[in-house]
Amino acid sequence: MTAHGQQRIWIILDHPMQLAIALAIASHWGGKGYTCNLLISPHAYWSRVDINLYRDKFYKIFFMERPDYTWHPVRIIRNIFQILRLKRMIARLNIGRNDVIVGLSIFHYLENIVLSMYPENLKIAIMPEAV
């Protein structure tokens, strides 16, 4: 629960095309005792989106680090440090045991780490039918 007594929903996404679903969730649940936070694993397409237009729809918006996807031997070491930094960033969010985690991302580090760090939380995954 937040300080003002509302339960929190953490919506995780990586691509701007998932923003419409996040906005629908925030619009529906925002006035029903929930605060909605947005966790974004930035994709290159986010440079085309003015996120400021949507700040009033979410309690907080966080752009998190996006670790590299690589099997290159030298870059994999950097990848490990990126993942460790991302885990520390997520831990600082203070996601509560009763908070709801909604995953709109598909198999990305941010979503996978949040889900594994908070195994007791209610989790909802929304994915395209093809997945």
Side-chain angles (χ1 to χ4, degrees):
M1 297 281 203
T2 61
H4 43 71
Q6 292 189 317
Q7 187 172 7
R8 296 181 295 181
I9 298 174
W10 298 86
I11 304 169
I12 305 167
L13 51 101
D14 60 276
H15 196 283
M17 68 182 176
Q18 299 159 337
L19 183 58
I21 298 169
L23 288 165
I25 293 167
S27 173
H28 179 78
W29 292 102
K32 297 182 177 168
Y34 292 87
T35 58
C36 295
N37 297 296
L38 196 58
L39 300 178
I40 299 172
S41 178
H43 186 282
Y45 288 124
W46 282 103
S47 65
R48 300 178 183 153
V49 176
D50 182 2
I51 199 67
N52 292 317
L53 297 173
Y54 308 103
R55 289 209 182 268
D56 64 330
K57 307 296 183 201
F58 301 95
Y59 185 68
K60 289 187 179 177
I61 298 175
F62 302 90
F63 276 92
M64 309 301 279
E65 181 170 359
R66 184 182 183 102
D68 296 328
Y69 288 84
T70 182
W71 286 104
H72 188 277
V74 174
R75 291 180 57 201
I76 202 160
I77 294 169
R78 182 175 74 182
N79 179 260
I80 291 168
F81 286 106
Q82 290 173 327
I83 290 170
L84 292 173
R85 275 195 310 271
L86 181 57
K87 285 182 78 169
R88 285 192 302 272
M89 291 172 71
I90 293 166
R92 286 193 293 264
L93 296 173
N94 295 318
I95 295 174
R97 185 177 176 95
N98 293 319
D99 292 350
V100 177
I101 299 169
V102 177
L104 302 179
S105 180
I106 303 168
F107 311 121
H108 286 274
Y109 284 116
L110 176 60
E111 183 173 3
N112 290 338
I113 292 170
V114 171
L115 294 176
S116 67
M117 287 178 67
Y118 300 95
E120 302 298 321
N121 290 61
L122 174 64
K123 299 166 193 76
I124 301 169
I126 301 172
M127 298 183 189
E129 185 177 354
V131 176

